[in-house]
Structure formats: structure tokens, C-alpha cells
Amino acid sequence: MRRALFAATAFLSLATAGQTALAADDTPEAPYVDDRSSADAVVRSLYSAINRHEFARAWGYFGDTKPAKDFDSFVKGYDGTDKVEVETGPISDEGAAGSIFYNVPVAIRATDKTGGEKVFAGCYTLRQVNAQIQAAPPFDPIHIEKGALKPSTADFEEALPPSCGDGPPPPKKDTALEQAKKAFLATYGDQCDKQFLADEPTVFSIKYKDKDAAAGDPDKETRLFHFSCSAAAYNESSIYYITDEVSGVQQLQFAEPKMDIRYENNDSDGKLLGMSIVGFQTTGWAVNSDYDEQAHTITTFNKWRGVGDASDSGTYLFRNGSFSLVQFDVDASYDGEENPQTVVDYNTAP
């Protein structure tokens, strides 16, 4: 016997209960998913069918107990709906008399044709009959036995039940990391190389004492998120986000001096006559950058051409919760040699 199937407080009626304003979207953007390899895959396949208006396919993911009194009622239940998003959580399973029963946490966000949204959450129960004991057709694949979804007041991202039955709770969501990833994609999704957009950022934890901290006060923590963005012939560009308990997630900006550089005969291949700082500016791009966890510094090195004989580089030191420019070097002579000059220096005592 199964040990602890989810006790559904209300049998799931996808079409008639009014609790699951699910959607149907037959546009090309709705992908075709038909996967019975796992319990959560069946749930995702169900919503793929609903989004594509393939109601006969959706109906087929249920076993003998159907979600409505007949197929026509099932189809009619989606009038006025537009689309539905689904999330699934950790699955629990229990064996009973040649079958395995799965309990799947589910959250959905349903959008109607006027743009209104509703969130529902609960559990599905699915059954898989042992294939080895099915000696004659028709074959009975893994299917949905029942489910119960209720309206949720939580945001869709927070509505997923932690578990159903004896399933393990999901890992705690890294809210700051998710915010940084969303900010990066929203701002730079159409500017960065596509191969980097799906990569996870490198995350650093910086522990430090506040400048006004008393002797027994705990360390504060700032987290640094490094996203690779683009790679050209000799320069790679990155974006950094920083977060703490007070400020939340923010993109890191890098201060740079604005230079007035003069060459003989106004020819950059000629003799360098001099250069001076005429102001400062900030940029969100860090070129050929690296974070040193021991020194708590971010360094940049921007090659002006491939051989690297002309360039600028910056050093940004973390102190008291933020990074600030402490050194900036410029090599403005295109002479085949690396001979940078320090134009900003807050590292060296006067």
C-alpha cells in the first residue's frame, strides 16, 4: 500500500472548478512537449498540450479518472484563457501492488485573454504501472491519477509547495543571485554573445568589518556576481553586480579618467607628446577583468590593439562595502612596447 498519498482536499477539475484558469496558446512560441519519462515531465506535457489547444492530447495524460465529466466540458473549460506557466518541485514516490505512485508539487500562473493573472498551487498524483506486468495491449503509460490546486496569494515564483507526501524540500532559493541574473538578461540580453547568456555567473562572498563596527560586532557580507558578456579577438568584456543587506542588487560601475592625449602631427603612430586627465566617467563594462579574492581587488586591462602596446588598466579596491578606483595606468604610445604610465594613484602615500 502507498504510505502517504497526498490527501486532495478538492479533486482537480481543470475545466470546471474555476480554480484553474489555465491557458491555451496555439502560437508558434508554445513548444510541443510530449514526454512520459517521468512524473514531472508528464505534468509539463499536459500544459504544453493545453497551451497549444491540443485538448485530446491533454485529455490523454489522465488515467481512467478524468478531470471533467466529458471531453466537451473539458475543452469548453478553457474559453477565455490565454496561456499558463507551470513549475514543478521535488517528487516523492511510493510503491503499491505493481505500481509506483508519484506526488508532484505544482504551481501555475494562468493568464486570461484580458491579461489578468491568477496563481494556483498544490499537488498532482501520478501512477506508473510496472511495464513488465503489462503483457497485452493497450499499454498503460505513466498517467495523472488526480490533483488538487488551490488559489495562492503568493507570487508565482514563491508559490510552489516545498514538498508533497514524503518528498524532500527544495533547496533554498538564492534570491540575490536570481535578481542579478534577471537584471543581467534584461539589460544585456541583446548586447552580449549568445553563448554566454545561459552561463551561471561566478559568485564571490566578501566578508568585512564595517568601519564603525564595535569589537564584538559580526562581519558584514557583500556578494559579487561576475557575468561574462562578450569575447572579441583580444578583449573580453564582463558585467559585475554587487549586493548587500541594505542596497540590494546593483550593477557595479567602474570609474575611469577621461584623457586628453596628444601626438606629434596628430598621428597616433607618431611620438607621444603628453596626456592629461580632463575629467572622470563611469562604465558598466570591465574589459579583461579579474577579481583577486585575497587582495579584494578587481583589475581591468583594455588593449587598444592586439599586440597590447597601447592600453589602459584599472585597479578597484573593495573597502567598506564598495569598490573604488585606486590606480589607473595608460599606455598611449603605439610603439610596439608595453610602457604604461600611472595617471591615477591612490595606492602610494604622498
Side-chain angles (χ1 to χ4, degrees):
M1 295 294 293
R2 338 171 238 170
R3 296 191 303 274
L5 271 179
F6 176 77
T9 58
F11 184 76
L12 174 63
S13 174
L14 292 175
T16 60
Q19 296 180 345
T20 52
L22 307 181
D25 185 356
D26 57 359
T27 65
E29 287 74 20
Y32 180 87
V33 179
D34 182 19
D35 185 353
R36 289 186 183 260
S37 62
S38 65
D40 56 330
V42 173
V43 173
R44 290 192 296 271
S45 298
L46 167 68
Y47 288 106
S48 164
I50 291 170
N51 276 330
R52 293 167 60 90
H53 286 190
E54 296 166 353
F55 297 116
R57 180 161 70 92
W59 183 262
Y61 291 115
F62 292 86
D64 292 337
T65 303
K66 299 298 184 182
K69 64 179 182 179
D70 54 49
F71 180 67
D72 289 340
S73 298
F74 177 68
V75 175
K76 188 176 180 180
Y78 300 105
D79 290 345
T81 61
D82 183 41
K83 66 178 181 179
V84 61
E85 300 166 77
V86 59
E87 290 287 344
T88 60
I91 302 169
S92 62
D93 61 84
E94 303 169 36
S99 296
I100 301 175
F101 291 87
Y102 300 95
N103 294 314
V104 184
V106 175
I108 65 170
R109 174 164 55 195
T111 305
D112 62 31
K113 292 182 179 179
T114 67
E117 295 182 353
K118 293 182 180 180
V119 176
F120 303 87
C123 295
Y124 279 84
T125 298
L126 293 91
R127 182 184 183 188
Q128 180 178 10
V129 179
N130 189 335
Q132 295 179 347
I133 66 174
Q134 298 190 55
F139 179 76
D140 183 12
I142 184 171
H143 60 261
I144 300 170
E145 287 273 290
K146 61 180 180 179
L149 297 180
K150 293 182 177 181
S152 174
T153 58
D155 292 337
F156 176 57
E157 293 78 9
E158 305 295 333
L160 187 67
S163 63
C164 294
D166 297 329
K172 186 177 180 181
K173 183 176 291 187
D174 189 334
T175 304
L177 173 61
E178 294 303 315
Q179 289 177 349
K181 289 163 65 174
K182 287 181 180 179
F184 172 67
L185 290 175
T187 306
Y188 295 99
D190 58 352
Q191 301 180 50
C192 295
D193 295 345
K194 298 303 181 186
Q195 69 264 29
F196 294 129
L197 294 180
D199 291 348
E200 290 292 311
T202 305
V203 183
F204 304 96
S205 174
I206 308 173
K207 301 290 182 65
Y208 67 100
K209 288 287 187 183
D210 188 84
K211 64 178 181 178
D212 299 322
D217 288 348
D219 288 346
K220 287 193 171 184
E221 180 185 20
T222 290
R223 300 176 71 202
L224 182 69
F225 305 95
H226 172 205
F227 293 85
S228 295
C229 180
S230 62
Y234 46 85
N235 283 329
E236 296 183 0
S237 296
S238 299
I239 305 295
Y240 288 82
Y241 288 85
I242 193 170
T243 184
D244 57 34
E245 297 176 356
V246 176
S247 303
V249 174
Q250 303 178 61
Q251 185 181 349
L252 192 59
Q253 298 292 319
F254 297 91
E256 298 178 345
K258 189 173 180 62
M259 305 300 300
D260 178 23
I261 303 173
R262 299 179 181 265
Y263 300 94
E264 189 174 59
N265 299 322
N266 290 323
D267 182 2
S268 60
D269 288 327
K271 181 181 179 181
L272 176 64
L273 298 179
M275 54 185 180
S276 58
I277 298 174
V278 295
F280 282 84
Q281 58 191 3
T282 61
T283 177
W285 301 93
V287 180
N288 297 327
S289 66
D290 182 63
Y291 174 64
D292 186 326
E293 294 186 79
Q294 300 300 317
H296 288 181
T297 56
I298 296 174
T299 54
T300 62
F301 179 55
N302 178 29
K303 295 181 181 181
W304 295 2
R305 67 179 182 180
V307 295
D309 61 340
S311 64
D312 61 66
S313 59
T315 301
Y316 302 84
L317 175 65
F318 180 86
R319 49 191 171 191
N320 203 44
S322 62
F323 285 88
S324 57
L325 175 66
V326 293
Q327 184 170 328
F328 202 86
D329 299 334
V330 177
D331 183 353
S333 59
Y334 294 83
D335 57 3
E337 298 179 1
E338 295 185 15
N339 43 20
Q341 299 180 42
T342 299
V343 297
V344 173
D345 186 2
Y346 298 115
N347 275 324
T348 304

